[in-house]
C-alpha cells in the first residue's frame, strides 16, 4: 500500500513540475500532508527554481 501511495506522490510531483502546492491539490490532500509523505517516503523535496 505504501508503495502505491509513494508512486502517486511521485506522479503528482511530476505532473506539477515539482510544484508541491499543485501536487497536493491533484492528490486532494493538504500541502502539510504532502510534505509529511514526501519526508516519510524519502523523496527529495523539489526546490524552487531560480529565474
Amino acid at each position: 500500500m505504501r508503495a502505491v501511495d509513494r508512486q502517486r506522490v511521485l506522479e503528482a510531483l511530476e505532473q506539477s513540475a515539482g510544484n508541491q502546492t499543485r501536487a497536493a491539490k491533484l492528490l486532494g490532500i493538504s500541502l502539510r500532508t504532502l510534505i509529511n509523505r514526501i519526508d516519510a517516503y524519502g523523496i527529495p523535496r523539489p526546490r524552487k527554481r531560480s529565474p
Side-chain angles (χ1 to χ4, degrees):
M1 188 68 182
R2 281 179 53 103
V4 172
D5 191 45
R6 183 179 192 278
Q7 188 60 39
R8 287 184 64 228
V9 169
L10 287 170
E11 288 172 3
L13 287 168
E14 185 177 319
Q15 288 178 3
S16 65
N19 184 302
Q20 295 173 42
T21 301
R22 286 191 209 138
K25 286 182 182 180
L26 284 171
L27 293 168
I29 59 176
S30 71
L31 177 58
R32 173 79 334 225
T33 299
L34 176 63
I35 291 169
N36 289 341
R37 289 183 185 180
I38 288 171
D39 291 341
Y41 299 144
I43 300 169
R45 292 223 12 229
R47 300 291 178 215
K48 291 186 178 179
R49 295 184 179 123
S50 299

